[in-house]
Amino acid sequence: MSSAEGTSASAILSASRISKSFGEIPVLFSIDFDIKPGEVHAIIGENGAGKSTLIKILSGFEQPTSGSISYDGKVVTLPPNGGAEAMGIVLIHQELNLAEHLTVADSIFLGRELKKFGFLDVAEMRRRAAEVMQTLHVNVDPDARINTLSVADKQMVEIAKAISRDARVLVMDEPTAVLSVGETQTLFEQIRRLTARGVAVIFISHKLDEIMELARRVTVLRDGQLIATVGTEALTPDSIAQMMVGRELSNLYPPKHEPDVDAPLVLSVHNLVAKGVKDVSFDLRKGEILGFAGLIGSGRTAVAEAIVGLSHRDSGAIEVEGQPANFTQVAQSVDAGLAYMTKDRKGKGLLLNMGLRPNLTLLTLKKHLKGGFLDPSSEEKALERAVRRFDIRARDATVAVGRLSGGNQQKLMLGKTMETEPDIIIMDEPTRGIDVGTKQQIYHIIAALAAEGKSIIVISSEMQEVIGLSHRVVVMREGRLAGVLEGAEITEGEIMRYAAGIKQSGHNDRISA
Amino acid sequence: MTASAPETAGKPARGFRIDLKTAGPLLALALLVLLGITLNENFFTYNNLTNVLARSSFIGIIAIGATFVITAGGLDLSVGSMAAVIAGVMIMVMNWLIPSLGIGWSVVLAGMLAGILLGGVAGVFNGMMITRGRIEAFIVTLGTMGIFRSLVTFLANGGTLSLNFQVADVYRPVYYDGLLGVPYPIIVFAVVAIAGEIVMRRTTFGRHCAAIGSNEQVARYSSINVDNVRLLTYILQGVLVGVAVLLYVPRLGSASSTTGVLWELEAIAGVIIGGTMLKGGHGRVWGTVVGVVILGLIGNILNLQSLISPYLNGAFQGVIIILAVLLQRGRRNG
Ligand SMILES: Nc1ncnc2c1ncn2[C@@H]1O[C@H](COP(=O)(O)OP(=O)(O)OP(=O)(O)O)[C@@H](O)[C@H]1O
Ligand SMILES: [Mg+2]
């Protein structure tokens, strides 16, 4: 397939025969890429295909091993470490890159602070920060510290920061991975506003419908090779997915096997009250997949963290396998067979500066003790098993986990959680940043676990995922349980109505409005 | 499955990967030894080397504790003053017990026990303030550093606390004698080092220290009891200060307000030269041993030659510390 558009004469930024190796390891092979003013050009590909590496090269954060980059028709060497921002090329990294102790306003103006008489013009920066956040419909105080924000809000701050620069080329690496549907739509509005002004946008996402909606052209990468650059009008999500993984993708979601009606309850939560959680009650049966839907910030993570003992519980009762459970330490919940997988893999899930092995076994070191001492060979075996089971692709097991592609980090974290051999698993955004091929794998793993008699709670902001996987769906809104959907009621419209507060629960007796 | 087969199969592959990061401190040590040999024929003698090692063993034992504290993302500035207080109290306890226990080993053992106990208690105090009081380690231990220092001055009434001569005679061999010609301090240092290395690499405690220093949140979400592990590192540090002091007291038989001055900085320097990261997350006990020995050798070599003034000892040590950190950073970017 060839380029859908004409020549690259009008391209603002283009790459010609770019190759990149990290040490001995090649990750990109002779890639051609270009972007024109006013265009949204999407890059897709499996985890580890080289998308992030390509756009880091396009914005100067990495230098190509060979090949050239042209900006405004002239061959250039982009300055490293974000120096290209001054030239109008702004990158939003896949992993959030904010200084945790700065305020929102500080972060947005970091490196180009406004000054008056040589001193920082704090008031003006705060005002403008508030203005940008306003256009993004984000409700955060410009004086709030970054470390107090949710992941989604942090992402919005990153976006605000990028948008507020006079970018000519805006590069976004999976900006929507942590955003809800509503937030994504706001972001898209802003992107359209920018492209209308002639800004070129490079956009990476694993969500194919977003790509279809937003992009004019799509470049598909597979294992560091350029597969094709095509116009989206000629494509369907299925055909893109096929190009990405190189095989046909049928049955993204495995068939649902409802648990028996008389299956025992393995987890009961009664009137749980905690920070961000107001009087939540629900049950989980053996072999059930229970979806948790809701807008970001609706308290789903807070419920999970209060259950496993990560955060303080104000009141309410929890029963695991019929026994009262008062977990005040995560270790207790793990011992009781209840595991929680965080959605914040960089901040709470993985030790980025360590290798795969210590990360995998961190939760379960006890299993690898021999005579009171750790047995590296036993850990090594566990790693081999996990790599096979979850298809973790690292070219070298000693590489720091921070260097794995985002999707492979996610799979490693799943492996780490499953090492505890839990009976009940709470997965918070289990497929964040994962490509469709791997998503399918993970969905089948989840279904297989349920069929084995494990019980699973899937917290997800991807509506399709919740619908495709869950036997029942709990919808949360503002810290409360807004409704529980079963069988044919599980539809996008129904979930949205509860999540947005248009509809309150009718049939769940324990819910107060 | 046999116990040893998979281990021996896995080990050589890892052991043979020599790079600057692991070999750096060893290389520096080898260079120093070579330099010493060329500068003075007395350097590479049994007497001189055991002397250097025996002196280094106090700092070394303390630095091994510091390796754990720093790996877990903490810091303990109080160890020098702590050593002084422990030495003072040990001497007072022994002197005080002579009437009831008489001159002999029972007094000395009681003094040793008191020293280790006091170290543990001081560690508990530091650790509790840091983990339960939620005060920064730097601030807490800066505070206790001052407290301990002034306590020893107070106990000694501004002067020197001296151990009863007869008890000192009983106690002397602990520093000056040894097994098969190896002084006891060196033996204890070696034992603590080997145990420390094993604990760091092959126990959950060691792994948890590295995890906490690397990212406290991840550690918490991985069901590690962060506060307890942290507290333990400070207790371990305190106990090891106690061990170091019970080897040190028989050397001079006295303690004063100048005992252990700047030991905390020497210990931290040894840890850093050995390749442990000051911000935590990665610790190497054997590296610390090499680091401390390097610092000891610099002083020794300067004393054995006449070209450069030995007063520049501190300057050389400083240069080595900065070089060590520079080298480590260089390879991380590469
Ligand atoms: N600094 C680095 N050193 C070594 N290898 C690296 C480095 N950065 C990336 N890689 C490797 O390059 C490959 C491509 O990674 P990249 O992050 O570009 O993938 P990606 O397409 O963005 O994947 P994802 O969808 O999971 O984010 C991976 O195998 C990754 O491990
Ligand atoms: Mg990526």
Side-chain angles (χ1 to χ4, degrees):
Chain A
M1 270 174 271
S2 64
S3 176
E5 305 278 318
T7 62
S8 62
S10 61
I12 173 167
L13 180 67
S14 66
S16 164
R17 304 180 62 88
I18 292 281
S19 296
K20 174 72 181 174
S21 306
F22 288 108
E24 295 285 284
I25 302 165
V27 293
L28 287 178
F29 302 88
S30 195
I31 307 287
D32 287 320
F33 182 89
D34 67 87
I35 175 121
K36 303 181 179 91
E39 175 189 47
V40 177
H41 190 155
I43 303 176
I44 59 168
E46 287 182 282
N47 297 129
K51 305 178 295 292
S52 298
T53 308
L54 175 60
I55 53 120
K56 279 182 198 157
I57 289 172
L58 288 172
S59 48
F61 284 88
E62 299 275 3
Q63 295 301 325
T65 315
S66 67
S68 64
I69 292 177
S70 311
Y71 189 51
D72 274 336
K74 285 188 284 291
V75 174
V76 290
T77 304
L78 295 173
N81 299 327
E85 279 192 7
M87 300 165 61
I89 304 176
V90 178
L91 170 64
I92 303 179
H93 286 273
Q94 177 168 13
E95 305 294 352
L96 300 169
N97 246 325
L98 295 169
E100 290 280 316
H101 296 284
L102 294 186
T103 67
V104 169
D106 291 345
S107 308
I108 289 177
F109 288 96
L110 189 64
R112 44 171 204 133
E113 289 79 4
L114 304 179
K115 301 202 182 100
K116 202 152 101 185
F117 312 122
F119 296 102
L120 290 181
D121 188 350
V122 179
E124 177 66 8
M125 285 196 282
R126 193 183 299 141
R127 196 186 62 74
R128 285 222 228 152
E131 210 173 86
V132 189
M133 297 309 281
Q134 190 87 58
T135 59
L136 287 169
H137 306 297
V138 186
N139 194 11
V140 301
D141 179 0
D143 289 329
R145 305 230 166 249
I146 296 294
N147 56 11
T148 63
L149 301 185
S150 70
V151 188
D153 284 342
K154 286 183 191 172
Q155 180 70 63
M156 288 313 248
V157 172
E158 284 271 26
I159 291 165
K161 182 176 167 183
I163 286 180
S164 69
R165 321 219 142 176
D166 290 322
R168 298 180 61 207
V169 180
L170 183 57
V171 190
M172 302 185 164
D173 197 350
E174 299 195 33
T176 59
V178 299
L179 300 183
S180 66
V181 184
E183 286 163 321
T184 301
Q185 283 310 322
T186 318
L187 172 64
F188 284 6
E189 265 167 44
Q190 294 305 313
I191 291 179
R192 292 199 188 94
R193 197 173 57 80
L194 289 170
T195 49
R197 284 198 338 226
V199 177
V201 176
I202 303 176
F203 184 83
I204 298 180
S205 173
H206 285 293
K207 301 177 186 171
L208 303 179
D209 48 340
E210 290 181 2
I211 305 240
M212 297 298 293
E213 179 184 341
L214 196 66
R216 174 135 50 117
R217 287 191 296 159
V218 184
T219 289
V220 184
L221 297 182
R222 191 195 309 152
D223 291 334
Q225 311 268 6
L226 176 70
I227 299 301
T229 297
V230 286
T232 42
E233 66 282 349
L235 288 173
T236 62
D238 281 346
S239 61
I240 311 182
Q242 202 175 326
M243 272 195 278
M244 254 171 77
V245 295
R247 65 188 151 91
E248 191 136 11
L249 264 183
S250 54
N251 308 331
L252 187 54
Y253 299 101
K256 290 186 191 178
H257 296 291
E258 299 282 338
D260 298 339
V261 272
D262 55 353
L265 296 183
V266 291
L267 177 70
S268 300
V269 175
H270 307 284
N271 308 96
L272 179 69
V273 179
K275 188 163 179 286
V277 181
K278 298 166 197 156
D279 194 23
V280 167
S281 305
F282 67 90
D283 295 321
L284 177 68
R285 274 181 295 168
K286 188 173 160 71
E288 185 177 36
I289 302 175
L290 180 63
F292 261 64
L295 302 178
I296 292 199
S298 57
R300 296 166 300 169
T301 298
V303 168
E305 296 197 345
I307 292 175
V308 298
L310 273 164
S311 64
H312 177 71
R313 178 149 48 92
D314 295 325
S315 69
I318 293 166
E319 280 165 35
V320 173
E321 316 263 1
Q323 302 296 317
N326 278 304
F327 305 132
T328 51
Q329 299 268 331
V330 194
Q332 297 164 348
S333 79
V334 169
D335 288 342
L338 170 57
Y340 168 64
M341 185 173 89
T342 171
K343 63 181 170 186
D344 184 1
R345 63 171 172 253
K346 188 184 180 191
K348 295 170 180 157
L350 296 171
L351 299 170
L352 298 179
N353 62 342
M354 291 199 190
L356 273 68
R357 183 164 58 95
N359 268 292
L360 182 78
T361 57
L362 191 59
L363 253 170
T364 43
L365 283 175
K366 264 189 271 173
K367 283 208 304 197
H368 304 287
L369 289 178
K370 197 155 70 186
F373 295 102
L374 292 173
D375 176 8
S377 67
S378 147
E379 290 185 73
E380 207 63 64
K381 286 206 196 81
L383 179 61
E384 277 166 31
R385 276 197 305 273
V387 163
R388 235 179 299 125
R389 180 171 177 195
F390 299 105
D391 193 27
I392 301 169
R393 293 185 208 167
R395 286 172 214 188
D396 170 10
T398 59
V399 70
V401 163
R403 296 215 163 153
L404 294 183
S405 77
N408 280 307
Q409 291 178 3
Q410 186 72 26
K411 289 193 265 185
L412 178 64
M413 203 165 70
L414 183 59
K416 172 182 167 182
T417 311
M418 293 311 297
E419 276 293 296
T420 65
E421 296 170 29
D423 295 317
I424 308 168
I425 311 139
I426 305 179
M427 299 184 180
D428 204 346
E429 309 284 1
T431 64
R432 169 176 289 175
I434 285 192
D435 68 62
V436 271
T438 312
K439 262 188 187 168
Q440 186 193 32
Q441 285 176 325
I442 288 186
Y443 295 152
H444 281 80
I445 291 171
I446 292 177
L449 288 171
E452 263 170 44
K454 313 263 183 216
S455 314
I456 298 151
I457 292 178
V458 176
I459 301 176
S460 175
S461 299
E462 254 183 81
M463 198 85 81
Q464 286 310 322
E465 183 168 294
V466 172
I467 296 169
L469 277 177
S470 314
H471 300 131
R472 279 190 307 147
V473 175
V474 168
V475 187
M476 288 195 61
R477 175 181 151 69
E478 293 177 355
R480 291 178 197 280
L481 202 142
V484 180
L485 306 177
E486 269 174 81
E489 298 171 318
I490 306 179
T491 61
E492 205 162 329
E494 214 38 26
I495 294 176
M496 265 330 284
R497 274 192 280 281
Y498 281 111
I502 299 166
K503 203 168 163 184
Q504 295 289 342
S505 172
H507 60 266
N508 192 313
D509 49 343
R510 282 205 295 258
I511 291 152
S512 51
Chain B
M1 222 189 329
T2 64
S4 58
E7 255 168 70
T8 40
K11 269 228 165 113
R14 240 168 290 136
F16 273 106
R17 268 190 39 206
I18 294 176
D19 52 334
L20 197 66
K21 159 189 159 193
T22 34
L26 278 176
L27 219 71
L29 182 64
L31 283 177
L32 263 182
V33 171
L34 275 179
L35 186 73
I37 293 172
T38 47
L39 284 176
N40 192 318
E41 72 270 24
N42 288 332
F43 172 79
F44 206 67
T45 55
Y46 186 76
N47 271 344
N48 183 54
L49 289 183
T50 47
N51 197 2
V52 174
L53 281 177
R55 281 158 181 255
S56 295
S57 52
F58 315 127
I59 297 288
I61 291 166
I62 293 172
I64 288 166
T67 309
F68 285 90
V69 170
I70 290 175
T71 300
L75 190 68
D76 191 343
L77 293 172
S78 71
V79 292
S81 318
M82 195 193 291
V85 169
I86 294 174
V89 171
M90 269 178 75
I91 289 170
M92 288 173 70
V93 166
M94 286 187 279
N95 287 344
W96 181 71
L97 282 175
I98 293 171
S100 45
L101 291 177
I103 309 280
W105 275 106
S106 46
V107 169
V108 173
L109 285 177
M112 287 178 164
L113 193 70
I116 290 185
L117 225 65
L118 185 60
V121 170
V124 170
F125 182 78
N126 277 337
M128 288 303 269
M129 294 310 273
I130 291 162
T131 57
R132 307 296 133 105
R134 308 243 162 257
I135 309 174
E136 296 237 16
F138 185 93
I139 294 168
V140 169
T141 59
L142 191 66
T144 49
M145 173 171 144
I147 295 170
F148 294 152
R149 180 63 61 200
S150 95
L151 266 182
V152 72
T153 317
F154 166 75
L155 291 177
N157 213 351
T160 303
L161 286 160
S162 297
L163 185 57
N164 173 292
F165 281 113
Q166 285 161 300
V167 177
D169 269 346
V170 179
Y171 202 165
R172 260 179 75 83
V174 171
Y175 180 77
Y176 291 97
D177 277 6
L179 257 181
L180 305 168
V182 184
Y184 286 122
I186 300 182
I187 294 173
V188 176
F189 183 21
V191 169
V192 171
I194 291 169
E197 178 72 20
I198 292 173
V199 169
M200 182 67 90
R201 293 225 184 179
R202 299 291 295 275
T203 65
T204 44
F205 173 68
R207 188 69 65 80
H208 287 176
C209 286
I212 292 170
S214 171
N215 185 331
E216 196 178 322
Q217 283 282 23
V218 173
R220 203 166 76 85
Y221 274 71
S222 303
S223 85
I224 295 171
N225 192 327
V226 174
D227 282 351
N228 281 359
V229 174
R230 278 243 162 93
L231 176 62
L232 262 179
T233 61
Y234 289 98
I235 297 176
L236 178 68
Q237 172 76 85
V239 168
L240 286 179
V241 172
V243 171
V245 172
L246 64 84
L247 296 167
Y248 175 81
V249 167
R251 184 170 163 220
L252 300 176
S254 65
S256 71
S257 60
T258 57
T259 302
V261 166
L262 290 186
W263 281 12
E264 62 282 337
L265 293 188
E266 275 191 57
I268 293 169
V271 172
I272 301 307
I273 293 173
T276 296
M277 291 201 283
L278 188 56
K279 67 177 164 64
H282 175 75
R284 283 197 310 211
V285 172
W286 70 262
T288 298
V289 173
V290 173
V292 169
V293 172
I294 287 176
L295 288 175
L297 283 181
I298 294 174
N300 180 247
I301 291 172
L302 283 172
N303 278 329
L304 288 177
Q305 52 81 55
S306 48
L307 295 171
I308 303 170
S309 160
Y311 293 134
L312 283 173
N313 186 5
F316 278 93
Q317 294 189 343
V319 169
I320 295 276
I321 295 165
I322 293 171
L323 269 182
V325 175
L326 264 183
L327 275 179
Q328 284 164 25
R329 203 185 34 210
R331 51 102 184 144
R332 232 184 303 136
N333 288 347

